[in-house]
Amino acid sequence: MLRFAPSPTGDMHTGNLRAAIFNYILAKQRNEKFLLRIEDTDTARNIEGKDKDIMFLLTLFGMSWDNLVYQSHNFERHRQLAEYLLQKGDAFYCYCTKEFLDKKREIAKENHQAFRYDDAWAELEKDKNPHPVVRLRAPKETMGFHDEIKGDITFAPNEIDSFIILKEDGIPTYNFACAVDDMLYDIDFIVRGEDHVSNTPKQMLIHKYLSYEKSVKFAHLPIILNEEGKKMSKRDNASSVQWLLDCGFLPQAIVNYLVLMGNKTPCEVFTLQDCFTWFDIRKIAKAPARFDIDKLKFLNREHFKRLNEQDLAVLLGYKDSAIGALAKLYLQEASTLNEIREKVDFIFAKKALLLENLQNDTKAESLEILEFKDAIQTLQQTLLAMLKEQDFSKAEFETFKSEAMQKSGLKGKSFFKPLRFLLTGHTHGPELSDLFPILRLYLNDILRN
Ligand code: GLU
């Protein structure tokens, strides 16, 4: 079984989503189940409702889970197994107080040495501390594993201390709950962020002491860098999945991008389902990948092209599929749902209001803008009069244009710029002759504004 194991402690970031996608694809490829495990062991940091957000996002991105568990529901099992390890002598109570350990840390720092927990300290403060933690005994030999992306990784015994598996309140630590649950749910392939590399030998050690022998595969994903090449942090907007969605990136484009980045794929534009046939985790580059928003914009446009016109119209808040077709004509200059919506909304917006904004933007009451306003008024009256007499819903642009030009008396730029503005709400954009076959269906709405 594969699993995605997010902590409900904050908003989902792109690195989490990438791990979810890869685990999901592997589950499909291997015909295995996909478990969603909410890792709520850090009771102080859990945030109410974040579990539901995670489920909402997974669903939005087209991933369904076969099984859902909250780690906290298994705390009793975790405690029983900790008890078992205590009895076997592979785990022990540690009574060290925080003050005691802080002091030892300070001494190590003064001596320019790395802090190491010493098992001999375990009971020194037994009289003082009624709430011991449980620690797992440090390994005596080198631990290692083969990572599907990074290759072989080893840890010398002195790199792993006897570490805490049950906190003083009896709540299991992340490493313990994770290793036990991976065992209980028969997880055989783990894909997660590379910040967990150093946890892997600890989790393997837990398995070993529990005599769990199943060989588990690991792939640790390189971190994602921001556009400046630094580790992406919460301050980088693109690290937040919700931010990307709010900008109007399509879930299918985000999935496409997160699979494509730092990967060798047979093509550039694909769907989550396409990945099932060719995805190979071993092709993910070891080096961190840099988040390239322009590439994501390109993919977003490609996925807009693939959307059917009716669906696109609905995404933009319109009913007619023709509006979806109209939106597609703007893909040269608009990349996100918000950018495209702005283009379409401007077509139907009150032009007088847009003109005011345009005027405020240019700030000055320049002669040019005054002439522009006049021309717009003249042309609007001409066009409305034309509409009263004829139905243009099947008209050619050439015919419409020639008649409007002749009746308004406007020529050249003084005709085309106002015409574009009246029809689209913008002074630049796609060829009017390309837009017209759709705009002609809505001329009444467009021009009455
Ligand atoms: N809860 C951990 C995280 O969100 C999961 C790590 C893992 O997949 O083991 O980073």
Side-chain angles (χ1 to χ4, degrees):
M1 195 184 312
L2 279 289
R3 64 12 174 230
F4 174 50
S7 307
T9 51
D11 290 336
M12 194 192 279
H13 56 78
T14 37
N16 295 135
L17 179 60
R18 193 164 179 238
I21 294 167
F22 289 178
N23 281 300
Y24 182 76
I25 296 173
L26 284 164
K28 294 291 158 196
Q29 285 183 326
R30 297 157 66 98
N31 207 12
E32 290 179 29
K33 294 234 150 73
F34 178 59
L35 167 73
L36 171 58
R37 184 170 76 215
I38 305 292
E39 298 211 322
D40 53 352
T41 52
D42 195 344
T43 41
R45 290 180 58 230
N46 289 340
I47 301 175
E48 178 88 27
K50 289 294 166 201
D51 53 341
K52 296 284 184 296
D53 288 354
I54 292 164
M55 290 182 227
F56 171 78
L57 288 174
L58 287 182
T59 309
L60 185 71
F61 283 91
M63 292 179 272
S64 53
W65 50 96
D66 302 292
N67 207 344
L68 168 69
V69 278
Y70 284 76
Q71 213 149 37
S72 55
H73 295 177
N74 283 344
F75 279 173
E76 213 35 63
R77 321 254 329 242
H78 302 140
R79 279 194 275 268
Q80 281 164 3
L81 287 168
E83 186 60 39
Y84 167 73
L85 292 173
L86 279 166
Q87 278 167 18
K88 273 177 71 205
D90 292 328
F92 59 90
Y93 284 111
C94 162
Y95 295 85
C96 293
T97 56
K98 185 177 172 300
E99 294 71 34
F100 176 90
L101 290 174
D102 283 349
K103 187 98 202 115
K104 293 291 184 191
R105 249 182 225 111
E106 234 169 74
I107 296 170
K109 202 170 159 198
E110 277 164 19
N111 296 335
H112 305 288
Q113 281 169 341
F115 170 76
R116 292 270 155 243
Y117 176 84
D118 184 340
D119 292 4
W121 300 339
E123 302 206 347
L124 292 181
E125 296 202 294
K126 195 164 177 176
D127 299 339
K128 278 197 207 156
N129 186 2
H131 300 294
V133 298
V134 177
R135 286 182 186 263
L136 196 77
R137 226 169 265 295
K140 297 196 176 47
E141 66 277 357
T142 298
M143 305 276 308
F145 66 95
H146 176 77
D147 188 279
E148 297 294 315
I149 297 171
K150 296 176 176 296
D152 292 333
I153 304 179
T154 52
F155 295 83
N158 70 356
E159 286 181 81
I160 305 167
D161 291 345
S162 294
F163 60 94
I164 301 177
I165 56 170
L166 280 194
K167 293 179 253 184
E168 54 193 23
D169 53 7
I171 305 274
T173 55
Y174 154 71
N175 272 316
F176 192 57
C178 177
V180 169
D181 287 350
D182 284 340
M183 177 181 91
L184 294 178
Y185 294 89
D186 197 23
I187 303 300
D188 54 5
F189 201 148
I190 295 174
V191 181
R192 58 185 170 195
E194 73 176 0
D195 46 328
H196 288 292
V197 167
S198 61
N199 288 323
T200 302
K202 295 182 178 173
Q203 295 173 11
M204 291 173 74
L205 189 65
I206 295 167
H207 285 172
K208 187 172 161 205
Y209 286 144
L210 291 173
S211 311
Y212 181 62
E213 278 169 4
K214 181 162 191 137
S215 92
V216 179
K217 282 187 173 195
F218 290 95
H220 288 90
L221 301 173
I223 54 166
I224 301 178
L225 303 178
N226 65 16
E227 296 200 86
E228 282 87 54
K230 302 213 178 75
K231 185 177 174 193
M232 214 181 217
S233 75
K234 283 209 180 95
R235 264 168 292 152
D236 294 295
N237 285 332
S239 72
S240 155
V241 174
Q242 195 56 50
W243 183 83
L244 293 173
L245 292 169
D246 290 346
C247 284
F249 288 104
L250 293 170
Q252 51 272 50
I254 299 173
V255 168
N256 189 157
Y257 181 63
L258 291 179
V259 176
L260 185 69
M261 74 188 304
N263 194 359
K264 285 198 199 79
T265 56
C267 52
E268 211 169 33
V269 186
F270 47 79
T271 64
L272 182 59
Q273 277 67 27
D274 293 340
C275 301
F276 302 165
T277 51
W278 48 252
F279 181 75
D280 182 353
I281 194 106
R282 292 167 304 181
K283 294 210 165 122
I284 301 288
K286 287 191 186 67
R290 199 184 274 230
F291 197 92
D292 178 356
I293 196 105
D294 290 329
K295 189 76 181 190
L296 177 59
K297 284 183 181 170
F298 158 77
L299 292 173
N300 214 35
R301 290 194 295 271
E302 291 303 311
H303 283 276
F304 275 124
K305 287 182 198 161
R306 290 176 166 210
L307 271 187
N308 79 42
E309 288 155 5
Q310 182 65 51
D311 289 348
L312 180 50
V314 170
L315 279 177
L316 293 166
Y318 291 84
K319 287 198 299 283
D320 304 352
S321 59
I323 300 295
L326 185 63
K328 286 191 181 189
L329 295 172
Y330 278 96
L331 286 176
Q332 288 286 344
E333 50 187 284
S335 304
T336 64
L337 205 52
N338 295 356
E339 287 171 7
I340 301 173
R341 191 181 290 117
E342 194 249 26
K343 301 290 179 199
V344 177
D345 287 352
F346 266 45
I347 293 173
F348 294 99
K350 281 204 187 325
K351 303 298 179 317
L353 225 65
L354 295 181
L355 197 58
E356 237 171 73
N357 291 346
L358 197 70
Q359 205 168 350
N360 290 342
D361 283 354
T362 47
K363 289 198 178 83
E365 281 268 318
S366 67
L367 192 60
E368 209 179 324
I369 197 111
L370 292 179
E371 280 173 8
F372 185 51
K373 270 171 95 171
D374 278 350
I376 284 181
Q377 252 180 14
T378 312
L379 189 58
Q380 187 168 23
Q381 278 158 14
T382 309
L383 296 178
L384 285 172
M386 279 164 59
L387 274 187
K388 257 194 199 149
E389 288 160 14
Q390 299 170 59
D391 172 15
F392 285 96
S393 62
K394 291 198 178 75
E396 294 297 325
F397 180 59
E398 280 303 310
T399 328
F400 174 78
K401 178 192 83 182
S402 307
E403 192 175 332
M405 198 182 275
Q406 190 224 334
K407 291 197 166 147
S408 66
L410 297 165
K411 283 193 204 64
K413 217 174 135 204
S414 316
F415 170 74
F416 281 107
K417 212 171 154 196
L419 180 67
R420 173 178 289 286
F421 191 79
L422 279 170
L423 293 182
T424 69
H426 281 280
T427 49
H428 302 279
E431 292 293 332
L432 281 180
S433 51
D434 292 338
L435 295 171
F436 192 74
I438 304 166
L439 296 181
R440 66 188 178 187
L441 306 173
Y442 302 98
L443 283 178
N444 271 315
D445 296 334
I446 296 174
L447 291 167
R448 283 201 198 287
N449 275 321

